[in-house]
Amino acid sequence: MGDMKSVATSSLSLGILFKRLGDYSKAKEHLREALRVTKKIGCRNEEALCHGYLGTLLCCACEKAQKHYENQLQIAKEIGCRVTEASGYLNLGELSRDLGDYAKAKEYLEKAVSITEEIADKNGRALCGGILGTVLHFLGDYSKAREYHKKALCMSQEARNISVELDVVSEIAMTLVLEGKMKEASSYLLDCIAKFEDVRSSLKDNIESQLKITLFDQHILEYRVLSSLFCITGKPVEGLHVVELGRARALADLMSVQYSLKSEVSGFERFWADFEKCMINESNSAFLYISYFVSSLFLWLFNGAGELIRFQEVDVNKCLANNAPEVNKPTRLVDDVFETIWVGKFRVEDHQENGQLQPNPTLAECYKMFVEPVADCLDAAEIIIVPDRCLFKVPFAALEDERGKYLSESFRIRIIPSLLTLKFVQDTPADNHNQTGALIVGDPDVGLVRNKRGKKIQPHPLPRAREEAEIIGKLLQVQPLLGEKATKQAVIQSINSVSLIHFACHGDEKLGEIILVPLHPVYSKSGEEKKPREEEIPREEDYILTMADISQVRLQAKLVVLSCCHSASGHVSAEGVVGIAHAFLGSGARSVLVALWAIDDEATKQFMSRFYEHLVSGESASESLHQAMKWMRENGSSDIRKWAPFMLIGDNETLDFRK
């Protein structure tokens, strides 16, 4: 209708929403569109808001962020909008603080405080005052810092704004940590976590899972700092209690609904007693629990009796012999380091920032960090690993010791998102899930479709995937869905009625979502004169099996095998890696086998053939995975790119194929 003001408002609203949901790429796209339109039609306040939000998105690119904040401030002054002006000063103050320019930060924040007092904005005054108190601490004015913190806390409580109060309490706690007052800091952090847990528990089960994840990301720092404080003050078990409280909570909520279990986790002592029982149920396994904060790794090793047999703090810098001089700068050190893993001379994932390849560890260095500190205590047949955030990207099976021996040569390896999620699976009898039936999907003949950017594509065939599905179908005596029969509709109709699900398809690189055949496929072969009409070409919702699709189906599968490229991919957050595997677990699957990177078609066919031979013979999923890796190494596929990407997440299922 040509209503450009509504276009600007809608684009701005979408940008803010996607930012809150953690989808920064879409947020940036919508905010830039909003900025373009607001400039064109002269909506000055909305233009200023766009600059502010874009600045927060680009905070890692400091010069760009600063330019946006300065534009926000300038426009606010020109139009006389004091609220937006205060926001501009607050943004510049936070950016200056993060850059270590505390004098400049103080100047900006004092102006923000002055404006919020003038316009009687208690929430803004509390937030600005809390951050200013921390900056004053860095400048050595401890008395003034405490005064600002105290006033900010009172104001946030008067305003009854729990979000601002949590931010202020967090600022006070961080300042106490810097002062070395660990006991006081712990008290504030415990209070902050207790308040946040109250907020979280008030959310209903029907609240969208992604919103819970985003909310948790905003307050996970308090959990990490408190856990680190416990660990460095000789209380590692208490530290682990706090870490576990901050792990995979949205996934646990989803699982509790699917399994009809309570997901309340309150009272550390009772909380931990349940997990000791959970470990005892895995008596032939050792539990390696991993957490990190800035440049420190924390390792807890438990035996099958639930006893802590080793706790170790590891300095990541000391383990990175080749990269140590370069990696000691960013505060997000471990995230940056593990964005890319070296597999020999092969990068699992290329990652660039400002045109420079980021430092990355070799598999030997990963072994030195995660395994070597506890290696002398490992005497179980299986290691159950509980990774932290980006560490889900580490191919633990391929970690090699100083002799070049892979970890998977000595141990079966399984991954779990948290102890709570494992407990939920254990508390649900296996016979509550389907005991029979298999859904095998291979080489979907997708046809011509539009991808997420609207570009027309025609995914190439996967003949080895078709052969893989046929081999598995023959082993299980099941007719697989192949080619044009592998439609999204057919999959959704069958997916909740089987015990085993196997996909041998293309996977989306970002979230691992699965590409299937649309209900009405369009084939566009070269040389054809007749071209399909634009409206006939299927869009992504017609052919991609998404996380949202899976979340709407109550699965009762014991095992889901995602033999697709990047099926372990997803958004990295406090929740872990949130992608298609997360969706399958949250919808009721007891275990999921995924691939960490783009997989070789022929090697994967061989790998899956061995895996299913062992599975059908009555061996567990973990043992079948272990034996398939061993066979690949010993039969001409020693290249770790071909056998190491596969990772089992969740329970260790054994299926009875006689049924």
Side-chain angles (χ1 to χ4, degrees):
M1 298 190 306
D3 182 358
M4 298 309 289
K5 186 170 183 180
S6 293
V7 171
T9 304
S10 300
S11 297
L12 176 58
S13 298
L14 281 166
I16 294 168
L17 176 61
F18 280 116
K19 178 179 179 291
R20 288 175 179 170
L21 290 172
D23 192 338
Y24 299 119
S25 177
K26 284 188 176 179
K28 194 187 300 182
E29 176 187 330
H30 286 292
L31 288 170
R32 282 178 171 167
E33 173 64 8
L35 181 60
R36 183 188 70 79
V37 177
T38 53
K39 280 183 176 179
K40 184 176 180 179
I41 62 177
C43 288
R44 299 288 279 160
N45 190 49
E46 287 79 2
E47 182 184 347
L49 291 173
C50 290
H51 280 298
Y53 281 109
L54 278 167
T56 59
L57 281 178
L58 299 168
C59 57
C60 57
C62 302
E63 290 184 9
K64 290 182 179 179
Q66 183 171 341
K67 187 66 178 173
H68 278 296
Y69 292 151
E70 287 172 348
N71 286 337
Q72 175 191 16
L73 187 59
Q74 181 182 343
I75 294 168
K77 287 180 176 179
E78 288 174 3
I79 63 175
C81 182
R82 300 292 274 165
V83 174
T84 305
E85 185 180 349
S87 175
Y89 280 125
L90 173 61
N91 287 333
L92 284 166
E94 285 193 282
L95 181 64
S96 299
R97 178 199 61 181
D98 294 342
L99 291 172
D101 189 344
Y102 300 115
K104 199 71 177 173
K106 176 176 177 286
E107 180 184 332
Y108 286 131
L109 289 166
E110 283 178 338
K111 289 179 179 177
V113 167
S114 176
I115 294 172
T116 53
E117 285 179 340
E118 178 188 323
I119 61 177
D121 177 5
K122 284 189 176 181
N123 288 322
R125 170 65 182 82
L127 185 57
C128 296
I131 298 170
L132 178 56
T134 304
V135 167
L136 289 167
H137 177 272
F138 277 110
L139 290 170
D141 194 344
Y142 305 125
S143 175
K144 200 74 171 173
R146 280 190 287 272
E147 181 185 326
Y148 269 103
H149 278 151
K150 186 177 179 180
K151 193 177 290 186
L153 184 57
C154 288
M155 284 199 165
S156 65
Q157 291 169 341
E158 283 176 20
R160 295 186 177 182
N161 188 323
I162 188 65
S163 177
V164 173
E165 184 181 348
L166 285 170
D167 288 336
V168 173
V169 171
S170 179
E171 290 288 341
I172 294 171
M174 301 309 167
T175 303
L176 290 167
V177 170
L178 293 170
E179 290 181 15
K181 297 177 180 177
M182 302 305 183
K183 191 173 181 180
E184 287 182 66
S186 298
S187 177
Y188 272 99
L189 287 168
L190 280 167
D191 182 46
C192 190
I193 289 171
K195 282 183 168 62
F196 178 67
E197 288 293 326
D198 287 342
V199 171
R200 195 183 178 286
S201 65
S202 69
L203 297 177
K204 305 299 181 185
D205 286 335
N206 60 355
I207 293 292
E208 221 177 315
S209 179
Q210 182 60 50
L211 294 175
K212 290 184 179 181
I213 293 169
T214 304
L215 179 64
F216 211 86
D217 278 345
Q218 292 170 357
H219 292 284
I220 194 61
L221 181 63
E222 290 86 358
Y223 291 78
R224 291 175 188 154
V225 174
L226 181 58
S227 173
S228 300
L229 285 181
F230 279 136
C231 289
I232 64 177
T233 54
K235 298 177 181 177
V237 175
E238 288 87 340
L240 184 53
H241 291 178
V242 178
V243 169
E244 175 64 23
L245 197 59
R247 285 285 174 92
R249 295 290 296 282
L251 176 58
D253 285 348
L254 291 171
M255 292 174 71
S256 70
V257 172
Q258 296 294 350
Y259 296 159
S260 301
L261 298 169
K262 289 185 178 181
S263 63
E264 288 184 21
V265 282
S266 58
F268 281 159
E269 291 182 10
R270 181 184 165 199
F271 178 65
W272 190 250
D274 287 339
F275 296 132
E276 287 179 338
K277 293 176 189 173
C278 157
M279 293 181 196
I280 291 169
N281 289 334
E282 303 279 357
S283 57
N284 293 323
S285 303
F287 284 77
L288 178 58
Y289 205 111
I290 307 173
S291 181
Y292 68 83
F293 185 63
V294 190
S295 61
S296 290
L297 285 170
F298 300 102
L299 308 177
W300 293 262
L301 182 69
F302 290 84
N303 62 19
E307 299 168 339
L308 179 63
I309 55 178
R310 176 68 59 82
F311 168 73
Q312 189 73 43
E313 182 180 354
V314 179
D315 185 343
V316 170
N317 291 316
K318 291 180 180 178
C319 298
L320 295 168
N322 299 326
N323 301 307
E326 304 168 42
V327 300
N328 204 16
K329 295 179 182 177
T331 55
R332 290 176 59 246
L333 174 66
V334 179
D335 292 288
D336 289 339
V337 167
F338 288 100
E339 193 67 34
T340 308
I341 307 292
W342 273 107
V343 179
K345 294 183 178 179
F346 166 73
R347 282 184 194 278
V348 169
E349 181 181 347
D350 283 324
H351 172 68
Q352 290 195 354
E353 189 172 306
N354 299 326
Q356 298 295 316
L357 286 170
Q358 296 300 294
N360 46 77
T362 64
L363 296 176
E365 288 170 331
C366 287
Y367 183 93
K368 191 175 180 182
M369 294 178 208
F370 304 121
V371 182
E372 190 177 279
V374 299
D376 59 321
C377 298
L378 289 170
D379 59 359
E382 180 180 55
I383 307 174
I384 298 175
I385 301 173
V386 194
D388 191 5
R389 291 166 279 167
C390 62
L391 302 187
F392 275 88
K393 296 182 178 185
V394 176
F396 288 97
L399 303 193
E400 54 184 337
D401 63 18
E402 66 279 357
R403 297 168 296 168
K405 187 176 182 180
Y406 298 118
L407 186 62
S408 55
E409 291 184 59
S410 303
F411 305 96
R412 300 194 307 270
I413 296 169
R414 183 156 42 111
I415 306 297
I416 58 173
S418 69
L419 292 173
L420 182 60
T421 56
L422 179 61
K423 179 183 179 296
F424 281 164
V425 173
Q426 289 181 351
D427 287 351
T428 305
D431 58 10
N432 280 20
H433 284 63
N434 291 324
Q435 302 300 303
T436 61
L439 172 64
I440 314 297
V441 184
D443 186 27
D445 191 358
V446 181
L448 183 67
V449 293
R450 291 191 185 277
N451 65 12
K452 294 184 178 183
R453 294 181 295 277
K455 182 180 178 182
K456 285 183 277 191
I457 60 169
Q458 190 161 352
H460 62 80
L462 296 168
R464 296 294 182 270
R466 179 182 289 256
E467 293 169 16
E468 174 188 320
E470 289 172 337
I471 290 168
I472 296 166
K474 190 174 181 180
L475 274 171
L476 307 185
Q477 299 181 27
V478 170
Q479 182 62 46
L481 292 176
L482 302 172
E484 62 185 17
K485 293 183 179 179
T487 65
K488 179 176 176 179
Q489 183 186 40
V491 167
I492 289 176
Q493 285 175 347
S494 305
I495 203 167
N496 65 344
S497 61
V498 296
S499 180
L500 172 69
I501 301 167
H502 182 100
F503 288 100
C505 314
H506 284 295
D508 170 68
E509 189 173 346
K510 186 176 180 183
L511 295 173
E513 294 176 323
I514 300 164
I515 298 175
L516 297 169
V517 180
L519 184 59
H520 302 292
V522 172
Y523 300 100
S524 178
K525 298 177 182 177
S526 58
E528 280 190 352
E529 291 184 10
K530 186 179 178 181
K531 293 183 179 180
R533 296 195 303 272
E534 290 296 311
E535 63 270 18
E536 292 178 334
I537 301 173
R539 298 183 178 276
E540 59 182 52
E541 61 269 20
D542 300 318
Y543 66 92
I544 294 181
L545 186 66
T546 65
M547 291 175 60
D549 293 325
I550 297 301
S551 68
Q552 292 167 16
V553 180
R554 189 171 189 268
L555 293 180
Q556 291 181 292
K558 288 186 173 183
L559 175 64
V560 177
V561 179
L562 302 178
S563 182
C564 315
C565 294
H566 311 291
S567 54
S569 295
H571 295 302
V572 178
S573 70
E575 182 74 8
V577 174
V578 182
I580 196 71
H582 184 280
F584 274 107
L585 290 167
S587 293
R590 293 179 73 92
S591 58
V592 183
L593 182 64
V594 295
L596 285 161
W597 55 74
I599 49 182
D600 178 86
D601 289 350
E602 179 62 33
T604 301
K605 183 186 80 170
Q606 294 176 7
F607 185 97
M608 288 299 167
S609 298
R610 303 290 84 74
F611 173 77
Y612 277 96
E613 283 175 5
H614 287 280
L615 198 65
V616 170
S617 71
E619 293 176 2
S620 70
S622 179
E623 180 63 25
S624 299
L625 177 62
H626 181 71
Q627 292 298 332
M629 288 182 173
K630 180 181 178 183
W631 187 92
M632 294 290 285
R633 288 193 299 265
E634 295 175 352
N635 289 271
S637 294
S638 59
D639 185 343
I640 49 185
R641 286 175 289 180
K642 296 181 178 180
W643 61 263
F646 299 102
M647 182 170 74
L648 182 65
I649 307 175
D651 199 20
N652 185 18
E653 289 299 312
T654 301
L655 285 80
D656 187 353
F657 290 94
R658 293 172 300 179
K659 297 181 179 179

